[in-house]
Amino acid sequence: MVRSPLTPQQLAAGKRLGAYLRAARGERTLADVAQAAGISPETLRKIETGRLATPAFTTVAALATVLDIALDDLGRICLADPSLQATAQGLALSSARE
């Protein structure tokens, strides 16, 4: 089965998701978070940089658990509505400061 190319909206959502996860990681090392989530550091690096725009749900759920992020917040990040993106980004920044 051939996978359809990702749309510009999906690619943009992947970049937003990656940036949000990077902000939520804060001072924790990429390797520590990846190990705690049960994924490779390279996978986390690809997600954070937007090169892996559509990670598996189980990967996202594991990262959400490790980073103490509600899945609802991650869902909002992936939406195209800029007001929801700003709200979710504010949550990530406040979580990273705690």
Side-chain angles (χ1 to χ4, degrees):
M1 182 167 98
V2 176
R3 183 175 174 173
S4 300
L6 297 177
T7 66
Q9 294 81 7
Q10 289 170 314
L11 293 170
K15 288 185 183 290
R16 288 191 305 273
L17 174 66
Y20 184 88
L21 292 172
R22 174 60 192 99
R25 181 163 58 87
E27 298 296 317
R28 295 176 68 180
T29 68
L30 186 134
D32 287 344
V33 171
Q35 181 178 10
I39 62 173
S40 73
E42 183 59 22
T43 296
L44 181 53
R45 183 176 293 107
K46 286 178 181 178
I47 293 169
E48 286 186 354
T49 60
R51 289 187 299 141
L52 180 55
T54 58
F57 176 77
T58 54
T59 299
V60 174
L63 288 168
T65 299
V66 168
L67 297 172
D68 197 27
I69 302 170
L71 286 173
D72 287 351
D73 294 339
L74 294 180
R76 284 184 198 94
I77 283 295
C78 295
L79 296 175
D81 184 340
S83 66
L84 294 175
Q85 294 167 17
T87 300
Q89 287 171 341
L91 291 170
L93 293 176
S94 65
S95 295
R97 291 183 193 128
E98 293 176 0

